[in-house]
Amino acid sequence: MSDIMKFEVENGIGVITINSPPVNALGVNARRAIAEGFEQAWADTSVNAIVLICDGRTFFAGADITEFGKPPQQPSLPELLEFIETSPVPSIAAIHGTALGGGLETALHCHYRIATPSAKAGLPEVNLGLLPGAGGTQRLPRIVGVPAALEIITSGRHVSAAEALSLGIFDALAEEGKLRENAISFALKIAEEDAPLVRVRDRQEHVEKHRGDQQIFDAFRKKNARKFRGFEAPERIIRCIEAATNLPYEEGVAEERRLFMELHDSIKSKAQRYVFFAERQTSKVPDIPKDAPKRDVNRVGVIGAGTMGGGIAMNFLNAGLPVTLIEQSQDALDRGLSVIRKNYENSAKKGRISGEQVEQRMALISPSTDYNDLADQDLIIEAVFETMPIKKDVFGKVDKIAKDGAILASNTSYLDLDEIAASTSRPQDVIGLHFFSPANVMPLLEIVRGQKTGTDLINTAMKLAKRIGKTPVLSRVCHGFIANRVMTVRGKQADAMILQGVSPEDIDRVIYDYGFAMGPFQMRDLVGLDVIGRGSNEKTVASELVARDRLGQKKNGGYYDYDENRKATLSPIAMDIIRDVASEKGLKHTPDADAQEIIARLLYPVVNEGARVLDEGVAIRASDIDIACIKGYNWPVYRGGPMFWADTVGLDKIVSKLNALEKEFGDAFTPSPFLVKLAAEGKKLSEVSL
Ligand code: 3HC
Ligand code: NAI
């Protein structure tokens, strides 16, 4: 007898209720419980129809991801679903919350689906580097048609109940809060009608329409080539849907199974599954329980309406929180406000928000040049110029004005948060909230824990991050915190390599092929070379480009020249500058570096710096470093981040290459003793946690 399944009969309707918190994932216990429920229903001759429903926050949210990679346990999900589809009486899935992946596939093996208006359905396996492996690729096209199935399964998006109803994924909507009773009434009606039972697998009209139509698939591949680059799952999903269109159901399912297993065993899917759990780990802090005290944040102050301050403010406005925006002059304030408005208006032009929402969000801003207007704020975030005296001055002022219990946050990128906190009388109320540019877009929020930062502040910041749709990563104080610190070494090595004669174009191409959206030099040209080099007096290639008024794409080109279509070609001026700077520094010319060598010299130091960050206790776990690089620097998700990727390369291999590079190029490559120790012990870097 399963203790997570309840079977009841009401008016001749057998109701199978599964309760397997937190999300009713279809692990072995849930699968066995469902089978048992159907067996009980079939054994009861008074049962004329079956309702399959879940307790708790959601209908089945998919296969149990923790089971992947472990020995299979019977029944497998496909076996279970084939079994329930043989039901001699109508079966109705009653859906609330999110019917995802194997959860939706379960519903697609029932004869009917009824859902609450707030329910969502989707096949998000693509986000785990997988494809729906229990019939989803064969069944969804049979309901929604080939074009919609291609889009829904390759994007993995959650489809709203209203859309699911119009597409035919759901047959009916229940009243909110009355799913069980509405599903029973629906089942009674179906049982009374005594109509022939139609299985989704037998529905042909949508797939028949495109049989032999190669063009629809090729056009879809072409249109999405950029989006799918580097990922293995989308192409296999398309092949499955081609099979659904062209082959009998059984053969299509066999193809789906084969391609699912290929993905399941791939490193890229393992990386994406690791990332799924890593993302959910970041808010867990060993010395702070989830239910630890936290402070209320309902009103936010932002100081500085520049590049970062404006974007930071938008996060809170988007979440409906009023923001008092402070600048040092009316001009700067007006400039900041007009950038925010322009950003919102661009979103409205793209149809992402309505014109009314633009006005609503703008109306939530109280602009001011008077610090006294910060007196009532629960959270005050400083985003002024990056110099210690200015930061201290601002915090000193805020200390005098902010109410008791207000959280005082700095968005500093590199400065010592403890020194900033010491300029106030309340260092326990000071925290780092480090956003990434553009702050309204990039999903990473580093939460910087100073020596005296109160644990309630950290708990509050973790919850706040979720409220504004960011992924939090906790960092201790150090130069650059986690993401900037580990990624800066990549930039340094890229600079060193071009001075040794390796072409910036080769470096950019190798980094692009690894999976980044662009290489380091393309990135600098895009962001602006004046912004990149700000604050440094060292003579570099970038500073020389700026001295010749080459600021990147925005003015005269940078490392590259750009034509009217923004097509880039390596700039002869940049190449001259590279040669000049290199000869002034007396560097030896070693231009030969293949892709493997470029990867080793650019990315092994990132791994090495990550090991240092862990060893120093700056990050509390390796997977947090991976998430910081993925969410803050677009490290390709299918590589799992630098720590996970290092394990796939082999730590011993990385250490021995670093040793060789140290001999040739010096201490920038000296392996961290911690990394050496892990390699010697045969341990995994990505599993390190304090
Ligand atoms: N398997 C195992 N654990 C799961 C899980 C799953 N499918 N889905 C969620 N969990 C766990 C999370 O790890 C988390 O655990 P924790 O509390 O210990 O950290 C807990 O459930 C709650 O999850 P969230 O924090 O993500 O809760 P939210 O309410 O924010 O989101 C959700 C709920 C939308 C269901 C979200 O968890 C989600 O998207 N889950 C994954 C859905 C998915 O990818 N399904 C497809 C699985 S693959 C599959 O089905 C293959 C099949 O085709 C054969
Ligand atoms: P910015 O120069 O674009 O904006 C700073 C703004 O602060 C200016 O508008 C200025 O007028 C205002 N300001 C200066 N002193 C002030 C004061 N005393 N009171 C009120 N306003 C004042 O700079 P940016 O890029 O927005 O950086 C701000 C902070 O964010 C810095 O600490 C920076 O290191 C950090 N940061 C920057 C990132 C970036 O990519 N630009 C990324 C993450 C953090």
Side-chain angles (χ1 to χ4, degrees):
M1 266 286 284
S2 168
D3 54 1
I4 61 167
M5 190 274 293
K6 202 165 54 186
F7 178 70
E8 297 151 303
V9 182
E10 243 177 85
N11 289 337
I13 305 300
V15 181
I16 303 167
T17 309
I18 305 290
N19 184 16
S20 178
V23 295
N24 288 306
L26 289 157
V28 64
N29 287 339
R31 298 197 299 272
R32 288 181 184 160
I34 295 170
E36 201 180 306
F38 273 86
E39 277 163 356
Q40 283 190 32
W42 295 337
D44 187 331
T45 50
S46 73
V47 168
N48 300 317
I50 298 169
V51 168
L52 175 63
I53 192 167
C54 290
D55 265 348
R57 62 206 243 207
T58 179
F59 191 74
F60 307 107
D64 184 340
I65 304 167
T66 61
E67 283 185 353
F68 291 137
K70 294 188 185 149
Q73 297 195 72
Q74 308 300 320
S76 69
L77 190 58
E79 283 164 353
L80 168 76
L81 300 188
E82 267 180 34
F83 176 68
I84 68 172
E85 197 177 42
T86 61
S87 181
V89 291
S91 57
I92 293 106
I95 297 168
H96 74 294
T98 39
L100 298 177
L104 180 58
E105 290 171 307
T106 302
L108 294 176
H109 282 75
C110 292
H111 298 110
Y112 298 93
R113 289 150 294 280
I114 179 169
T116 60
S118 59
K120 294 201 164 82
L123 294 171
E125 287 86 344
V126 69
N127 298 323
L128 302 167
L130 293 171
L131 55 83
T137 63
Q138 306 304 298
R139 286 170 187 257
L140 197 67
R142 285 177 156 78
I143 293 181
V144 303
V146 171
L150 282 168
E151 186 275 318
I152 291 172
I153 309 180
T154 57
S155 71
R157 75 182 168 93
H158 294 186
V159 177
S160 71
E163 190 187 351
L165 183 70
S166 73
L167 286 170
I169 301 173
F170 295 161
D171 300 292
L173 293 191
E175 277 173 78
E176 207 67 63
K178 292 198 173 157
L179 178 63
R180 191 175 189 279
E181 53 203 279
N182 286 180
I184 291 174
S185 308
F186 183 86
L188 276 168
K189 201 167 121 261
I190 296 291
E192 267 164 28
E193 280 169 7
D194 201 21
L197 293 180
V198 180
R199 301 176 304 178
V200 174
R201 60 187 282 163
D202 298 327
R203 289 171 55 176
Q204 295 300 329
E205 67 274 18
H206 285 299
V207 284
E208 255 169 19
K209 210 161 62 191
H210 292 288
R211 198 151 292 161
D213 178 358
Q214 189 55 37
Q215 204 271 336
I216 192 169
F217 298 103
D218 290 346
F220 188 76
R221 282 187 177 95
K222 201 165 157 212
K223 185 171 148 221
N224 292 287
R226 241 179 92 184
K227 197 163 121 205
F228 297 159
R229 183 177 71 92
F231 291 91
E232 286 170 358
E235 169 55 27
R236 284 171 177 75
I237 290 169
I238 298 170
R239 274 154 56 189
C240 285
I241 300 176
E242 280 183 290
T245 312
N246 295 321
L247 300 176
Y249 179 80
E250 285 76 11
E251 286 177 40
V253 160
E255 180 70 349
E256 178 192 86
R257 197 76 217 141
R258 194 178 68 74
L259 294 174
F260 176 85
M261 287 317 294
E262 264 182 36
L263 290 174
H264 174 274
D265 296 339
S266 72
I267 289 184
K268 288 185 177 176
S269 173
K270 280 182 192 142
Q272 286 183 260
R273 272 132 56 187
Y274 160 85
V275 170
F276 175 85
F277 289 111
E279 243 185 291
R280 284 158 177 79
Q281 279 288 308
T282 64
S283 59
K284 293 169 189 153
V285 186
D287 63 328
I288 307 177
K290 242 189 171 159
D291 54 356
K294 65 177 186 72
R295 301 186 192 180
D296 285 338
V297 176
N298 297 314
R299 301 177 59 82
V300 179
V302 175
I303 311 176
T307 311
M308 293 306 288
I312 291 170
M314 287 174 74
N315 287 298
F316 295 100
L317 303 171
N318 297 348
L321 288 163
V323 173
T324 297
L325 188 59
I326 303 284
E327 255 295 349
Q328 53 185 354
S329 70
Q330 191 60 44
D331 269 5
L333 194 53
D334 291 343
R335 226 175 309 127
L337 284 169
S338 74
V339 173
I340 296 177
R341 174 171 283 284
K342 208 170 98 211
N343 281 338
Y344 278 139
E345 282 171 353
N346 283 340
S347 297
K349 263 189 221 142
K350 289 179 189 147
R352 292 196 192 126
I353 55 173
S354 65
E356 201 186 338
Q357 281 171 312
V358 174
E359 296 314 321
Q360 277 165 358
R361 291 179 197 191
M362 289 307 293
L364 283 173
I365 310 178
S366 305
S368 170
T369 52
D370 183 357
Y371 272 61
N372 288 311
D373 290 334
L374 293 171
D376 287 338
Q377 311 306 318
D378 304 313
L379 164 68
I380 299 167
I381 307 176
E382 161 281 307
V384 304
F385 302 135
E386 181 81 345
T387 66
M388 187 54 94
I390 301 181
K391 301 272 191 209
K392 281 182 167 174
D393 177 54
V394 167
F395 271 79
K397 272 197 225 158
V398 171
D399 188 26
K400 293 200 181 71
I401 292 160
K403 67 180 182 187
D404 277 354
I407 300 172
L408 313 185
S410 174
N411 182 49
T412 180
S413 307
Y414 293 97
L415 299 174
D416 181 346
L417 184 77
D418 292 319
E419 196 178 335
I420 296 175
S423 65
T424 73
S425 61
R426 39 175 139 172
Q428 75 284 358
D429 291 342
V430 176
I431 193 168
L433 290 181
H434 184 214
F435 291 80
F436 285 71
S437 185
N440 53 318
V441 176
M442 294 303 285
L444 178 64
L445 176 61
E446 282 184 340
I447 297 178
V448 185
R449 179 178 194 171
Q451 271 171 20
K452 298 195 174 152
T453 305
T455 50
D456 58 336
L457 254 68
I458 293 160
N459 200 24
T460 307
M462 289 291 175
K463 303 262 163 25
L464 191 66
K466 195 159 186 185
R467 208 161 144 203
I468 60 172
K470 301 281 177 199
T471 306
V473 167
L474 188 66
S475 173
R476 284 281 184 188
V477 176
C478 71
H479 187 76
F481 313 116
I482 297 174
N484 283 351
R485 176 170 161 184
V486 302
M487 293 304 295
T488 300
V489 296
R490 187 189 76 165
K492 275 194 185 148
Q493 290 317 316
D495 282 335
M497 283 193 98
I498 59 170
L499 293 179
Q500 286 148 9
V502 180
S503 159
E505 215 172 13
D506 286 347
I507 292 176
D508 282 341
R509 197 196 57 248
V510 168
I511 291 296
Y512 176 80
D513 288 347
Y514 178 87
F516 284 93
M518 62 186 84
F521 301 104
Q522 292 163 322
M523 177 64 138
R524 290 179 193 179
D525 272 4
L526 181 70
V527 174
L529 294 166
D530 49 337
V531 178
I532 298 288
R534 210 156 47 180
S536 161
N537 295 321
E538 198 193 337
K539 181 171 175 183
T540 60
V541 174
S543 72
E544 285 305 288
L545 287 166
V546 174
R548 295 189 200 191
D549 207 23
R550 291 182 65 88
L551 306 187
Q553 286 199 28
K554 66 182 170 191
K555 195 168 180 200
N556 300 330
Y559 293 92
Y560 297 90
D561 291 322
Y562 297 87
D563 70 12
E564 59 280 6
N565 300 319
R566 279 205 278 162
K567 192 172 166 330
T569 42
L570 199 55
S571 155
I573 304 175
M575 292 308 284
D576 281 347
I577 294 175
I578 292 169
R579 272 188 292 273
D580 284 354
V581 176
S583 69
E584 243 177 68
K585 297 202 175 186
L587 292 170
K588 78 176 170 191
H589 198 63
T590 50
D592 296 326
D594 62 10
Q596 226 181 336
E597 179 72 6
I598 292 174
I599 289 290
R601 277 160 69 181
L602 260 53
L603 301 188
Y604 289 2
V606 176
V607 172
N608 199 28
E609 197 63 27
R612 288 204 185 96
V613 158
L614 271 176
D615 193 27
E616 291 166 22
V618 168
I620 53 180
R621 56 178 81 84
S623 60
D624 282 5
I625 302 174
D626 284 331
I627 295 299
C629 292
I630 291 168
K631 302 283 178 182
Y633 276 87
N634 290 324
W635 192 287
V637 63
Y638 55 76
R639 302 275 184 198
M643 308 285 100
F644 182 90
W645 173 69
D647 288 331
T648 67
V649 174
L651 298 189
D652 44 357
K653 189 174 155 197
I654 292 181
V655 167
S656 82
K657 179 69 183 174
L658 284 170
N659 281 325
L661 290 169
E662 182 191 16
K663 279 200 195 90
E664 197 175 353
F665 299 109
D667 59 9
F669 294 97
T670 310
S672 116
F674 184 63
L675 188 65
V676 174
K677 184 165 161 277
L678 286 175
E681 290 171 355
K683 293 216 172 109
K684 287 222 157 90
L685 186 52
S686 60
E687 287 172 3
V688 174
S689 140
L690 290 188

